[in-house]
Amino acid sequence: MVERRSMLARLVPHVILCLGVAILAFPVYLCFVGSSHPQDVISNGQMPLVPGHLLTESYWLALTRGVARTSSEPVGLMLLNSLTMALIIASGKIAISIISSFAVVYFKFPFRMAAFWMIFITLMLPVEVRIYPTYKVVADLGMLDTYAGLTVPLIASATATLFFRQFFLTIPDELVEASKLDGAGPMKFFWDTVLPLSRTNIAALFVILFIYGWNQYLWPLLITTRSDMQTVVIGIKKMIVTQDALTEWNIVMATAMLAMLPPVAVVVLMQRWFVRGLVETEK
Amino acid sequence: MEKRAIYGGLALPLLLLTPQLLVTLVFFYWPASQAVWQSFLLQDAFGLSTRFIGLENYRELLSSPGYYRTIGTTALFSTLVTVLSLSIALVLAVQADKSIRGAGIYRTLLIWPYAVAPAVAGVLWLFMFQPSLGVLARGLRSLGVDWNPLLNGDHALALVVMAATWKQISYNFLFFLAGLQSIPRAVIEAAAIDGASPTRRFWTITLPLLSPTAFFLLVVNIVYAFFDTFGIIDAMTSGGPSKATETLVYKVFFDGRLGGDLGGSAAQSVILMVIVIALTAVQFRYIERKVAY
């Protein structure tokens, strides 16, 4: 700023920020350390603060076997379930909301505002307030323990629809007129103009929705009863048993690392899209 | 705001809207209306018959001390998470906003916890504070604290608050930073030239200009603490010990589980719906006002 700052004053922000980074990273560091020590060392409460030598072993066991109990599934399978669910939710939400926003913005038809409000009001009905009736609908439709049951009820999203609507309103009207002059119909305009222009918005939204899908908890908890349909976020909770001596903490920690890796990697590697998606969808 | 050049027709736009409206009707409106309807019904213990009992479920709910206890827990939990995560994030954002070297790296290192699933965050914190084997629990014991979140309700609540705060700092940090960066430098420089100290500049210029962001975050954080922390609580404490960490959403889940008390659970859902609608309305009023500036 304006004043000349002393050495100390220039150091303070770094100290505070490093402290913040350390506090945020510490739980994950301990988790990493925990995944590298044998179970009995952790259970005795004697885990050292530096990584041990069982790193590859824990991860291999987790991925291919899971915990040693009978009902347990390999984490590899759970990761696959999580990935499938996250991808279906993210692409499904984008697909159905981009076409519905296109309809609401570019067409004049009798029920336009009614349709818009109908979508808009779902903002006020998060799954947590309609848990059991929604469960019953899914059960009646025979969709328990299926990917459809896991994803379709979460796919309607007012946020994504509003997000695309905001963006479509910024597309200059001249483009529609030019397309009309060329004799192109609405769908050609959608494919040739709207969709290519929306690329960066789709990327930003995809990052946010992928994380949203991957991290779902309550819904998969209700909908999946078969252990081979479990997602990793659900699976990890079931690995912790009440009698602590029986919990294989090294496997649990390896699983936690594996469960965090995909969404964290998406945020870090696609940071620009992530920040944009987060800020824009909240408007 | 509407487009000038608009297509006509009815079949095509309806077709484009069908998938979204279908999902909305089947999985949002129908279940929500069922929740409202069920809240007026009493189901017998075997789920064989139901009868209409009017507002009896609400009356029973609002006269049970357990419900008020859960409201109290939710209020305390939400307040702690909101205040802690907002203030820590603000401190970090103010530091990151100063033109210092490596600001981009700090941002990356501070935003990633957003991507960690609530339940996984719960497991991480459980591992550190598990009374018999957690590294930090051992530390607390050596300091003479009789740490036991499995038996002590206050300890359990502290634990879920820590995990929930940890996860939310990134989100608040990102929005505070964006808010700080949108404050015109000229305003702050002018104050500096007039001789206002950095502390004074923060309290009289930065903070008031940041208040729209702070207000927005306040609402978002309350919604987060109410609804998105279900995974943290279920993974860490399952609402225990003896319901000390049971929030409103957790109670809806717990009471209705295995067809337990569907009517009571539905009545709770309806009350939650009213809360969400109120919060959303507040948020939109604020956005309207912001647009009007």
Side-chain angles (χ1 to χ4, degrees):
Chain A
M1 198 76 355
V2 188
E3 297 97 345
R4 203 177 301 149
R5 278 184 292 179
S6 67
M7 187 68 183
L8 189 72
R10 267 182 297 168
L11 213 60
V12 169
H14 289 283
V15 172
I16 295 176
L17 287 169
C18 285
L19 203 66
V21 170
I23 291 173
L24 291 187
F26 187 66
V28 176
Y29 174 73
L30 274 190
C31 174
F32 176 72
V33 172
S35 70
S36 69
H37 287 285
Q39 182 197 350
D40 51 334
V41 173
I42 301 175
S43 299
N44 290 339
Q46 289 173 344
M47 190 183 88
L49 289 176
V50 288
H53 58 280
L54 285 179
L55 211 52
T56 43
E57 203 178 313
S58 306
Y59 286 84
W60 180 249
L61 265 181
L63 276 174
T64 56
R65 186 203 70 180
V67 286
R69 262 168 296 129
T70 37
S71 60
S72 148
E73 296 288 333
V75 176
L77 182 72
M78 298 180 192
L79 288 171
L80 202 64
N81 285 337
S82 288
L83 184 71
T84 315
M85 179 174 80
L87 288 178
I88 297 178
I89 289 179
S91 31
K93 273 193 188 232
I94 290 173
I96 73 168
S97 52
I98 199 167
I99 54 172
S100 61
S101 325
F102 182 70
V104 169
V105 172
Y106 282 101
F107 287 87
K108 200 185 183 85
F109 58 100
F111 315 108
R112 182 156 91 135
M113 282 327 277
F116 177 72
W117 278 100
M118 226 180 107
I119 296 166
F120 182 76
I121 285 176
T122 58
L123 268 186
M124 304 181 188
L125 302 170
V127 69
E128 286 82 359
V129 307
R130 49 186 170 86
I131 305 176
Y132 293 105
T134 317
Y135 172 84
K136 194 168 178 304
V137 171
V138 172
D140 291 347
L141 293 173
M143 296 190 340
L144 295 180
D145 282 319
T146 63
Y147 286 120
L150 270 176
T151 55
V152 177
L154 299 176
I155 258 174
S157 149
T159 348
T161 311
L162 290 173
F163 176 76
F164 282 122
R165 180 177 169 269
Q166 285 307 114
F167 170 65
F168 291 166
L169 291 176
T170 67
I171 297 179
D173 287 348
E174 287 73 18
L175 290 178
V176 201
E177 279 153 14
S179 161
K180 271 186 159 176
L181 281 179
D182 289 345
M187 286 324 282
K188 188 161 169 52
F189 173 64
F190 178 74
W191 285 111
D192 292 349
T193 314
V194 174
L195 213 52
L197 283 174
S198 308
R199 270 206 311 256
T200 55
N201 287 288
I202 292 175
L205 200 56
F206 187 85
V207 173
I208 300 296
L209 294 178
F210 179 83
I211 296 167
Y212 166 86
W214 183 276
N215 290 347
Q216 281 302 310
Y217 185 80
L218 177 58
W219 188 244
L221 187 69
L222 290 171
I223 292 304
T224 58
T225 50
R226 265 176 30 211
S227 57
D228 62 336
M229 279 301 289
Q230 260 170 27
T231 63
V232 68
V233 177
I234 301 296
I236 191 169
K237 196 250 164 170
K238 298 202 168 154
M239 288 179 168
I240 300 171
V241 268
T242 335
Q243 298 88 355
D244 291 300
L246 297 176
T247 303
E248 293 171 71
W249 281 103
N250 53 336
I251 305 291
V252 176
M253 289 298 114
T255 309
M257 292 300 288
L258 292 168
M260 282 186 280
L261 195 65
V264 170
V266 164
V267 164
V268 173
L269 297 177
M270 301 175 73
Q271 202 183 131
R272 209 156 56 93
W273 305 131
F274 165 68
V275 173
R276 181 162 167 194
L278 200 62
V279 174
E280 296 279 318
T281 48
E282 293 293 352
K283 270 186 195 161
Chain B
M1 191 171 144
E2 282 184 12
K3 289 275 177 192
R4 274 182 300 118
I6 278 181
Y7 295 106
L10 181 63
L12 185 59
L14 285 186
L15 192 69
L16 291 171
L17 277 164
T18 303
Q20 173 99 325
L21 293 184
L22 205 62
V23 174
T24 306
L25 279 175
V26 175
F27 298 108
F28 283 75
Y29 284 95
W30 171 250
S33 63
Q34 283 294 300
V36 176
W37 174 236
Q38 270 170 12
S39 73
F40 299 121
L41 298 179
L42 180 69
Q43 196 169 40
D44 72 37
F46 307 102
L48 297 174
S49 69
T50 49
R51 69 192 167 87
F52 186 81
I53 53 164
L55 292 172
E56 194 57 36
N57 283 323
Y58 292 94
R59 223 172 54 87
E60 199 181 315
L61 191 63
L62 295 175
S63 63
S64 87
Y67 192 59
Y68 289 100
R69 195 182 156 191
T70 305
I71 292 179
T73 308
T74 313
L76 181 62
F77 172 75
S78 314
T79 312
L80 287 172
V81 171
T82 304
V83 170
L84 285 173
S85 62
L86 279 178
S87 34
I88 296 172
L90 181 60
V91 170
L92 292 172
V94 167
Q95 303 308 322
D97 183 48
K98 292 180 179 159
S99 34
I100 56 168
R101 209 175 279 198
I105 298 168
Y106 283 122
R107 193 178 78 163
T108 310
L109 291 175
L110 288 168
I111 61 170
W112 60 267
Y114 174 83
V116 177
V120 175
V123 170
L124 295 185
W125 282 79
L126 196 63
F127 183 60
M128 292 196 293
F129 282 103
Q130 210 286 336
S132 62
L133 56 86
V135 170
L136 294 184
R138 269 191 281 155
L140 281 175
R141 294 214 161 182
S142 68
L143 290 173
V145 181
D146 186 20
W147 173 259
N148 196 343
L150 298 175
L151 294 174
N152 183 320
D154 293 337
H155 292 177
L157 191 65
L159 195 55
V160 287
V161 166
M162 284 192 282
T165 305
W166 176 80
K167 219 195 103 50
Q168 190 63 2
I169 290 173
S170 329
Y171 184 92
N172 296 341
F173 169 79
L174 212 67
F175 277 86
F176 270 138
L177 189 61
L180 286 168
Q181 284 170 348
S182 70
I183 296 175
R185 293 282 146 185
V187 182
I188 297 174
E189 275 160 20
I193 292 166
D194 285 348
S197 69
T199 326
R200 201 178 139 79
R201 292 203 298 264
F202 177 77
W203 289 105
T204 56
I205 297 170
T206 313
L207 212 54
L209 286 176
L210 204 58
S211 63
T213 311
F215 182 74
F216 160 78
L217 285 177
L218 184 69
V219 179
V220 172
N221 277 270
I222 293 172
V223 173
Y224 164 78
F226 264 64
F227 297 99
D228 299 341
T229 53
F230 177 87
I232 296 180
I233 292 169
D234 192 46
M236 293 182 99
T237 63
S238 303
S242 57
K243 305 208 177 288
T245 52
E246 186 183 70
T247 57
L248 289 167
V249 168
Y250 200 85
K251 193 171 163 64
V252 174
F253 167 75
F254 189 83
D255 288 359
R257 197 162 55 170
L258 308 170
D261 174 15
L262 277 180
S265 175
Q268 293 178 41
S269 296
V270 173
I271 294 177
L272 273 180
M273 250 183 255
V274 173
I275 295 176
V276 187
I277 290 170
L279 284 171
T280 318
V282 168
Q283 198 171 340
F284 275 90
R285 270 197 66 138
Y286 145 76
I287 287 171
E288 299 275 289
R289 236 183 355 173
K290 195 179 80 170
V291 171
Y293 282 173

